[in-house]
Amino acid sequence: MIREDFLPLARPVVGPDEIAAVTEVLKSGMWTTGPKVAEFEREFSAYLNAEGGVHTVALNSCTSGLYLSLLALGIGAGDEVIVPTWTFAATAHVVEWAGAKPVLCDIEEDSLNIDVQKAERLITENTKAIIPVHIAGYPCDMDAVASLAEQYDIFVIEDAAHAVGTKYFGQKIGNLSDITTFSFYATKNLAMGEGGLAASKDERLIEKIRKLSYFGINKEAFKRYEKRGTWFYDIEALGYKCNLDSMHAAVGLVQLRKLDAMNERRRAIAAAYKKGLSRRLTFTKDSDEHFHTYHLFPVLIPSSMDRDTLITGLRDRNIGTSVHFRPLHLHSHYRLAAEKFPVAERLFPRVLSLPMFSSMTDEDIDYVITNINELVGS
Ligand SMILES: *Cc1c(COP(=O)(O)O)cnc(C)c1O
């Protein structure tokens, strides 16, 4: 039986609390950056629970976070930054925006994360940073990244767009590197619609990013709307316009309180998938050492199967899927020789993301399993 409604790849959780939180902000008249945003930053810092404290600045996207991180670290013309080829456009585009050169790197077969040994071979005297991406919510080998960074004196900016709540050996992603950026885009584990955040143990870096996020005006800028504020402000640098507003922050505060439960549900869905899905599919790496938050559930289909036929077959049965990611080196803008990326080349035709969001019901999960197994064979 084909279900009546379409089961999407992802869907944000919307409850009465999110609606009430936005309504409260609308009625308050304080719509832009203000106390709600500061409250979100404080609660998110507490959530990261770093020893010694971690500082945060909320932004309008993870992309802004990555871009402003590069600027705050002084990375620009003549510099090179290593990024995985298996990622979204944002991770590499920001490097070019900053005037530097993105150097694409191949990935590990089992986790789809950047291969740090291959990254080492790409280091030159111009390399200034590496941007590991925790694909699907499974952490990169951050010990290897940290020793690479120390040995070659380069910065580490983590693209944790998929990894809010992910733990690396018991430590939450967000307090391991120079700067970590999160995404609160509509499909992400903590969703606001659009939104992001940069986290660092270095308060000066976060204050630099905060200043760059609002025209280069010092952090007292938003107080000018409050009774205690003054009209005076000074533009100290050529900043941008990447601040988060209060409506998004209010949704984020509600979602943050639900985040652990939502992540646990994603893990339970992943466990059910792994139990029920055909053995002809290959799953990506998970391990008891870390806490995988399953932003995505990518599978590798048998190399003998045609992916587009499977995608169409699933769509005809009202199941949404997608591909994460078409490697950057295959896109027109980044086009590079395939030989440099043997693993990404080999895995790309086989990868498929299945529906994964915390409000999926047990019936939804069974429906996906039954239909995939029919199409893939067991
Ligand atoms: C979603 C995503 C981003 C961008 O996040 P935005 O908040 O939309 O800017 C960056 N990197 C990866 C890997 C992503 O999936």
Side-chain angles (χ1 to χ4, degrees), residues 327-345:
L328 293 178
H329 73 269
L330 298 177
H331 288 267
S332 309
H333 180 72
Y334 287 104
R335 182 108 27 217
L336 285 169
E339 303 85 76
K340 291 183 179 168
F341 312 96
V343 177
E345 281 283 323

Side-chain angles (χ1 to χ4, degrees), residues 146-160:
S147 49
L148 188 77
E150 196 176 304
Q151 190 180 343
Y152 295 96
D153 194 23
I154 61 174
F155 295 114
V156 179
I157 304 167
E158 287 170 73
D159 179 340

Side-chain angles (χ1 to χ4, degrees), residues 357-369:
F357 51 94
S358 62
S359 60
M360 274 179 83
T361 64
D362 292 351
E363 291 71 43
D364 292 337
I365 300 166
D366 287 342
Y367 184 78
V368 174
I369 291 171

